[in-house]
Amino acid sequence: MTLWNKKTVLKSTVEQLQKKFNLDMLTATIFARRGITNGKDILFYMENDLRFQHNPFLFNSMEDAVDRILQAVPDKDDESGEKEKVLIFGDKDVDGVTATTILYDCLVSMGVDVRFKVPVGDDAYGLSMEAVDEFAAEYGSLIITVDCGIANNAEISHAAELGIDVIVVDHHNPQSEIPEEAIIINAKVPLSGYPFEEISGCAAVYKLISALRFSKSRWYKTDVTLLNAKTEGSSITIDCIKLKNLVPQSRMSETITPGTKSISESRLPKYLEGQLILVWDAKLNSTLLTQAFGYGAQFSMLDIQSEISSIYPQLSKIPLSQIKLQSKIAKYGNHEPTEIGGFYNIFVTYANMELKKEHPEFAAEEEMDLQLVSLAAVADVMPIINENRLFMKNAINSINKGKIRKGLAELMAELNLTGKRITAKDFGWTLTPAINSAGRMGLASIAVDLFTSNDSSYRNNLAKKISELNSQRKEYTDKGEEIARQQAKDSITKYNGKLCVVYDERIFKGVSGILAGRFMSENKIPSITMTKVNDIICGSMRSCRGFDVTQMLEEMKDIFLSHGGHNYAAGFSLKAENLELFLSKLKEYSSRINLEQEEKEIFVDAELPAEMITADLLKICDIFEPSGNSSEPLLFMAKNLPIIQGMVMGKTERQHLKVTVDCGNTKWPCIMWGAGEKLHNEFDVGDKIDILFSIERNMFNGMETPQIMLSDIKLSTIGESND
């Protein structure tokens, strides 16, 4: 029997969270129970503003990538008509299709001569020699790989030999050797500089696009120093932050007792050499510098306060000493707010707002891009933490306001999602499987066409085609499962109970990943599904219980034609003649696999008395939405709830349970899928039950009502308790 576990949390921890972040007790308790107590993590739950996302120039190679792409933008004054040719090479899954789409749209808007290529038919994953040669024959000069490329050393070296530059924008685990000839944007590469590794390939491309947009700012590549002088008792402290592309490069602070040191004896002249010096209130700063060093302390300073106040009038007469107290970044930080910190935060916000004011199209384009970025996050099972939460919250919000990007609107209509309140669950259960079907069926290019075409009639036809492909994909999946199910079960003993391995030529290549995922979920062990295409064995692997599949594949790399992926999802290919060798290596390796223990307990976010189970809980649930990987929907527990109605739903063998429980002022309908047999066997109307549940919004006939979804249920045996 599964244990319901409500972790104990310290009262002091809850109280600290309540006070610092202005939370109610239940929300603070849930944060504490989930181990989310760092302000930098809580920020992404409490805030929606995109200004809290990470600066794209934190990637150490970002400026190089931007400059190389800008070289490919045609000069309007060049009358020769010659344009540099650019190829975007993507992957065929949702992440690759969406990454290809948003970069293609961006480069087209910049006037770049760009085309895209994604794998079709039985094309292998990743950049191919054939694609490089074809592009070279067209006199192409720049290839940008998206959601692939980090493992394509040979292909990138070949491109370099042909005079073609390559930018790799990827998020897959790097292998022992990474392409030296390429500019690489991948948060998982050592020393990438980026603070958050778990972004999708599409999100990495979105970062590149954000950086390209910022290149239109007057602050691009400008060496800026923010300076602030302040009195501290009888001394004067001068704080400085050097910035490039809004990223802090260094900090300096010097405290001076007036009359004890000349300006030349301080560190300031050397530190400020060649910098554009920005201050908040030039008159005050000049006065304090004169007091510190005498009248020889003269710097050319730009007072940015008036410029910032033109966009934010409420700041026109506010000193930094007050601005620092309004900083949300400081609120969520682990340090006391400082004046120079407040100056930095407001300057970054201003610089980005200034850019969008000068280029209003950027805000609209960003909104549309994030809808695809969010689909990619769900499809590639990225953790819904950190900036991924900002991406998804903004995307879902814009979709539910009816501001849906081209292609997605037509697909949603085809899938009967128009007018429905969209959640992350709709992304995962309906939208991403449909988009993925195009690539699985060998027609990924039509998914890119769906999102890039300006012809609405054509997009409608493509949306219908993708829906048809999804139905066909389901048939192939069911057939493959029927073929392989027994082999999957029989293989477990052969591989020491640590792996489930399937190979059958009748399995359609496009569904091998789905089958590997199903066998992994059923057997709770890492699973491999393989098939054969033109004398090449193609395999997909899905993992669980802490086992990193990429490490295993890297150890066997000598027998693969290609391999790569993420910790828990990867793919590979090898010659058919090496299949037996691979299987023998798997058998030997399986004896060394250490799997984490299966979870035998369910962790509860809060135990609630009946009177607290009201529709107001939805407000708390909304804080923790969107849900997904590493951010599961809130799970509550309640005890001793009387059943006042009960029924079994469904006409198939798998029937569902619906009971109504009495919570005092509220009578709650509760649904549990596949649990119809519990009624009249484990409990009946009139009994009292304990339940594990989440709360959802149910749409029916245009009406939205809250509904309890049960995860577990049992007859009550003990008295009531609560948080």
Side-chain angles (χ1 to χ4, degrees):
M1 190 174 194
T2 304
L3 176 67
W4 301 0
N5 185 345
K6 185 185 70 174
K7 290 182 179 178
T8 301
V9 293
L10 295 175
K11 182 180 179 181
S12 59
T13 301
V14 175
E15 290 175 344
Q16 287 171 9
L17 292 175
Q18 280 186 271
K19 182 179 179 180
K20 184 169 184 179
F21 304 112
N22 194 29
L23 302 173
D24 62 85
M25 186 185 73
L26 180 55
T27 301
T29 301
I30 293 170
F31 272 126
R33 196 160 278 143
R34 289 195 167 199
I36 305 170
T37 57
N38 188 309
K40 292 181 179 179
D41 296 324
I42 291 174
L43 180 153
F44 294 105
Y45 288 85
M46 302 302 297
E47 303 295 337
N48 299 331
D49 199 317
L50 286 169
R51 69 191 175 98
F52 296 114
Q53 65 181 308
H54 304 304
N55 188 320
F57 289 98
L58 288 169
F59 279 105
N60 290 326
S61 299
M62 186 60 79
E63 189 177 298
D64 292 336
V66 169
D67 285 346
R68 180 60 188 89
I69 291 173
L70 292 179
Q71 288 178 29
V73 178
D75 186 346
K76 295 179 181 178
D77 298 327
D78 185 354
E79 298 179 358
S80 67
E82 293 184 4
K83 289 185 177 182
E84 187 173 350
K85 292 182 173 64
V86 179
L87 171 67
I88 300 170
F89 193 97
D91 189 21
K92 63 183 179 180
D93 63 0
V94 172
D95 197 11
V97 163
T98 54
T100 301
T101 295
I102 64 173
L103 184 56
Y104 179 80
D105 280 349
C106 175
L107 297 188
V108 167
S109 71
M110 295 169 66
V112 175
D113 182 1
V114 60
R115 71 285 324 265
F116 69 83
K117 184 176 179 63
V118 292
V120 295
D122 291 326
D123 288 350
Y125 166 80
L127 183 64
S128 65
M129 292 291 190
E130 181 183 10
V132 173
D133 287 337
E134 288 178 355
F135 190 53
E138 298 175 3
Y139 303 101
S141 54
L142 174 61
I143 295 175
I144 307 174
T145 68
V146 296
D147 192 35
C148 63
I150 197 63
N152 290 122
N153 296 55
E155 292 80 4
I156 291 171
S157 293
H158 182 55
E161 291 170 358
L162 296 175
I164 300 173
D165 294 331
V166 179
I167 299 173
V168 172
V169 190
D170 202 355
H171 75 133
H172 290 93
N173 291 355
Q175 298 174 9
S176 55
E177 297 180 11
I178 60 176
E180 294 182 356
E181 297 92 342
I183 298 172
I184 298 175
I185 305 297
N186 183 337
K188 292 180 180 175
V189 169
L191 304 178
S192 76
Y194 202 69
F196 181 52
E197 288 189 358
E198 299 299 331
I199 56 174
S200 68
C202 186
V205 171
Y206 163 74
K207 290 297 174 179
L208 173 60
I209 293 170
S210 299
L212 283 167
R213 289 175 182 144
F214 187 77
S215 71
K216 297 291 186 182
S217 168
R218 61 173 167 149
W219 306 110
Y220 178 59
K221 295 176 71 170
T222 301
D223 293 318
V224 172
T225 294
L226 305 182
L227 182 148
N228 181 62
K230 61 182 180 181
T231 57
E232 291 188 335
S234 60
S235 300
I236 295 173
T237 297
I238 301 100
D239 294 318
C240 301
I241 302 179
K242 275 187 181 177
L243 307 178
K244 190 172 186 181
N245 299 323
L246 306 185
V247 175
Q249 305 297 305
S250 66
R251 299 170 186 263
M252 191 207 74
S253 182
E254 187 158 7
T255 300
I256 304 295
T257 300
T260 62
K261 185 183 292 188
S262 68
I263 186 66
S264 61
E265 294 174 311
S266 74
R267 291 178 290 159
L268 281 174
K270 184 175 181 180
Y271 190 81
L272 298 175
E273 185 177 356
Q275 297 287 305
L276 174 62
I277 305 170
L278 305 182
V279 295
W280 188 273
D281 191 340
K283 183 178 180 180
L284 174 61
N285 278 275
S286 294
T287 299
L288 292 176
L289 287 171
T290 299
Q291 289 179 15
F293 300 111
Y295 287 99
Q298 296 297 320
F299 295 100
S300 177
M301 298 182 293
L302 173 63
D303 192 334
I304 199 73
Q305 182 178 15
S306 59
E307 289 190 31
I308 293 178
S309 299
S310 67
I311 293 181
Y312 302 104
Q314 67 274 24
L315 300 178
S316 60
K317 296 182 180 180
I318 298 181
L320 287 180
S321 58
Q322 291 184 30
I323 286 178
K324 72 175 184 180
L325 301 176
Q326 301 175 16
S327 171
K328 284 189 176 181
I329 295 217
K331 170 185 174 182
Y332 292 106
N334 296 320
H335 58 275
E336 289 298 317
T338 62
E339 292 182 15
I340 193 68
F343 189 10
Y344 167 71
N345 293 335
I346 199 66
F347 174 68
V348 169
T349 301
Y350 159 71
N352 285 314
M353 185 60 69
E354 179 189 52
L355 178 62
K356 289 182 178 179
K357 189 175 181 180
E358 293 174 354
H359 296 274
E361 71 277 11
F362 287 175
E365 291 167 357
E366 181 178 58
E367 186 174 21
M368 297 299 101
D369 289 346
L370 285 175
Q371 293 178 13
L372 297 190
V373 170
S374 296
L375 286 170
V378 173
D380 259 31
V381 202
M382 295 294 100
I384 310 305
I385 58 175
N386 207 279
E387 64 181 350
N388 285 340
R389 297 192 62 79
L390 295 181
F391 300 156
M392 290 197 65
K393 284 193 278 189
N394 278 270
I396 290 172
N397 185 50
S398 64
I399 289 173
N400 285 329
K401 287 181 177 179
K403 300 167 71 175
I404 310 172
R405 68 162 290 131
K406 64 183 181 182
L408 184 58
E410 287 81 2
L411 184 60
M412 287 177 61
E414 183 65 32
L415 299 175
N416 298 316
L417 292 176
T418 303
K420 180 182 183 295
R421 187 179 186 276
I422 299 299
T423 67
K425 184 180 289 187
D426 296 301
F427 281 19
W429 287 16
T430 308
L431 283 167
T432 57
I435 300 168
N436 251 339
S437 68
R440 294 187 186 282
M441 304 307 293
L443 295 170
S445 59
I446 72 170
V448 183
D449 289 340
L450 170 69
F451 293 128
T452 56
S453 174
N454 292 318
D455 185 333
S456 60
S457 178
Y458 182 52
R459 293 199 302 269
N460 280 320
N461 290 334
L462 290 178
K464 184 176 181 180
K465 176 65 175 176
I466 287 175
S467 180
E468 292 170 353
L469 289 173
N470 195 34
S471 297
Q472 189 177 1
R473 185 270 306 169
K474 291 177 182 177
E475 293 176 8
Y476 283 4
T477 303
D478 292 342
K479 181 180 178 181
E481 186 172 8
E482 183 180 344
I483 290 170
R485 176 171 292 282
Q486 191 58 48
Q487 183 187 160
K489 289 184 178 179
D490 293 343
S491 72
I492 296 174
T493 302
K494 184 177 180 180
Y495 294 94
N496 299 294
K498 303 291 182 64
L499 287 176
C500 171
V501 181
V502 165
Y503 167 70
D504 197 298
E505 295 180 16
R506 295 171 294 172
I507 294 174
F508 182 68
K509 176 187 173 185
V511 302
S512 61
I514 298 175
L515 294 177
R518 286 190 181 182
F519 296 143
M520 180 270 291
S521 297
E522 288 180 11
N523 299 297
K524 310 301 182 187
I525 57 175
S527 298
I528 299 173
T529 299
M530 296 174 286
T531 189
K532 186 165 78 169
V533 179
N534 299 327
D535 292 325
I536 300 297
I537 304 299
C538 302
S540 295
M541 187 168 186
R542 300 294 182 266
S543 188
C544 58
R545 297 171 61 184
F547 178 61
D548 181 350
V549 300
T550 58
Q551 290 185 7
M552 183 187 81
L553 297 181
E554 181 71 5
E555 188 170 315
M556 303 180 190
K557 64 182 180 180
D558 291 344
I559 64 172
F560 294 130
L561 295 172
S562 64
H563 71 286
H566 311 291
N567 292 6
Y568 295 110
F572 57 87
S573 65
L574 65 154
K575 293 180 180 179
E577 63 195 55
N578 288 327
L579 176 60
E580 290 304 319
L581 174 61
F582 176 53
L583 294 176
S584 66
K585 283 179 173 290
L586 278 180
K587 185 174 181 181
E588 186 278 328
Y589 193 94
S590 66
S591 65
R592 296 185 277 125
I593 292 176
N594 292 313
L595 299 178
E596 295 175 355
Q597 289 295 318
E598 292 183 61
E599 291 288 352
K600 295 184 179 180
E601 54 187 343
I602 300 175
F603 292 97
V604 180
D605 287 300
E607 182 178 350
L608 304 175
E611 61 270 18
M612 283 188 66
I613 307 176
T614 69
D616 287 342
L617 285 176
L618 283 171
K619 297 176 183 177
I620 295 176
C621 292
D622 286 344
I623 294 173
F624 293 87
E625 287 292 330
S627 57
N629 179 24
S630 300
S631 188
E632 298 296 325
L634 293 188
L635 186 63
F636 300 109
M637 174 169 62
K639 296 180 177 179
N640 283 348
L641 300 181
I643 302 176
I644 56 176
Q645 289 181 348
M647 63 179 292
V648 175
M649 305 184 300
K651 298 179 180 179
T652 63
E653 290 185 11
R654 189 169 182 267
Q655 294 183 309
H656 313 300
L657 172 69
K658 181 176 182 179
V659 295
T660 301
V661 295
D662 187 353
C663 295
N665 294 329
T666 309
K667 308 299 184 287
W668 276 93
C670 308
I671 304 293
M672 187 171 184
W673 304 119
E677 78 285 348
K678 291 181 178 289
L679 189 65
H680 308 311
N681 290 313
E682 298 181 19
F683 45 77
D684 216 325
V685 174
D687 288 336
K688 291 185 177 181
I689 53 174
D690 300 341
I691 60 174
L692 285 185
F693 66 97
S694 55
I695 297 181
E696 296 182 355
R697 291 175 172 86
N698 180 46
M699 286 292 296
F700 184 73
N701 290 335
M703 296 290 292
E704 183 179 277
T705 56
Q707 177 177 268
I708 284 180
M709 302 302 298
L710 298 175
S711 298
D712 203 358
I713 183 172
K714 57 188 178 184
L715 195 65
S716 291
T717 57
I718 58 175
E720 182 178 1
S721 62
N722 57 70
D723 275 317

